Amino acid sequence: MTETKPYLCPKQSRMNFSDLGLSAPLLSAIEKAKYESPYPIQVEAIPALLQGKDVLGIAPTGSGKTASYILPILQLFQKKEPAINRIIPVLILVPTRELAVQVAEVANNFSRFLGRKVKTLAVFGGVSINPQMMSIYGTEIMIATPGRLLDLLSKNSMRLSEVEILVVDEADKVLSMGFKEEVDQILAELPKKRQNILFSATMEESVEVLINKLLHNPVKIEIEQDEIAPELITQSAYFVSNEKKGPLLRHLISTGDWKQVLVFTSSIRTADNLVVKLKKNGIEAVAFHGDKSQGARTEALSGFKAGRIRVLVATDLAARGIDIKFLPIVINFELPRSPKDYIHRIGRTGRAGSEGEAISLICEEDLHHFKVIQKKMGRRVEMINAEKLEF
Ligand code: AMP
């Protein structure tokens, strides 16, 4: 099993987008989207994909992986006639609704600058199936969570028998969420000859099984430690009793005059309780977790992004796949179970070259676990004894 290194922010590489084989309309779309130079994963993945090769990317969110496959796919369509049927040529499988929406945003963001627009559709569960079914006609890039895709297939609303490109994004998450069987059912619908792309933050056994099933002589891209700029995230911790975590959090928010804080809890109940307490103390906060409807989650996220909500209290559902530009502060109100999740959580800040701060509230019972996290991460985190502070 390969251990994930903390991935915090890609350094800009020296290559230019114009060195990667992208056409003039794409280069102009990239310029309009204000990407100055390609990230390392893009430098390697874009030429390989343009040559029709399979690609395996061991890279988490934040590496720029989405554009690394979306750009070559959009280029491919510039030479094709628009689709006038329900036969899907590009299928992108993702684990969550949030990632589906995010990938569609990236595709649309570039596509709107192109002479030949490419119809992209995100389909996911938790919302009514009918509008999605009615939008399928003419879709060229379908981004789907596995369960909803199978529902749509069972209603004969499209064909996957001519898929030319398959992307499995965050494959480790797709499998850890229990979608293995669904993925197998989907693969059975696809033609044998196609280009395959797989991204995963980690390489556990189940991912390797899928890789062997899916990829043929892939170009393997792994983001190395020296391509990471961890100095952009300042990590610190407060040693504090469980009962005083809430007051300390409120104290930190007000004294630091923080305007946008993402707080992680390990349970839905703690998240909800914390929101009640913060609101009682005049701090605008909203909970973001699996018990919330899709509508409530979208609203919470957009309110938070727009700065209307000061504190978003989330469970690990939000640790992956959510891209909030320039998020300055992440708080671990409770530690996550695995070091991997800790890295994903703090990776929500310090993105796209901006500076970030990650603070963990550690009580007596967390001490050992926090040591394990630091060891795995290969970094020591300074701890302040909050028991000595007045708040
Ligand atoms: P991703 O790993 O695909 O979620 O991308 C992480 C973030 O980096 C997103 O906000 C992208 O818009 C941004 N991004 C990706 N590639 C570039 C680039 N070459 N230059 C600047 N920003 C980028």
Side-chain angles (χ1 to χ4, degrees), residues 233-268:
I233 294 187
T234 312
Q235 293 185 58
S236 61
Y238 284 89
F239 181 68
V240 61
S241 66
N242 230 339
E243 312 77 69
K244 284 198 185 155
K245 278 187 176 181
L248 174 62
L249 177 66
R250 298 198 292 275
H251 170 77
L252 291 173
I253 292 172
S254 350
T255 52
D257 196 24
W258 296 340
K259 301 279 187 262
Q260 203 183 29
V261 192
L262 176 60
V263 178
F264 281 106
T265 62
S266 49
S267 75
I268 290 175

Side-chain angles (χ1 to χ4, degrees), residues 278-314:
L278 286 166
K279 281 175 134 172
K280 229 189 221 167
N281 285 274
I283 298 172
E284 202 42 54
V286 157
F288 184 89
H289 53 60
D291 261 9
K292 298 271 171 190
S293 69
Q294 180 59 19
R297 283 201 259 167
T298 308
E299 205 180 301
L301 204 58
S302 63
F304 184 59
K305 279 187 181 183
R308 291 190 298 276
I309 293 159
R310 198 169 173 190
V311 185
L312 189 74
V313 185

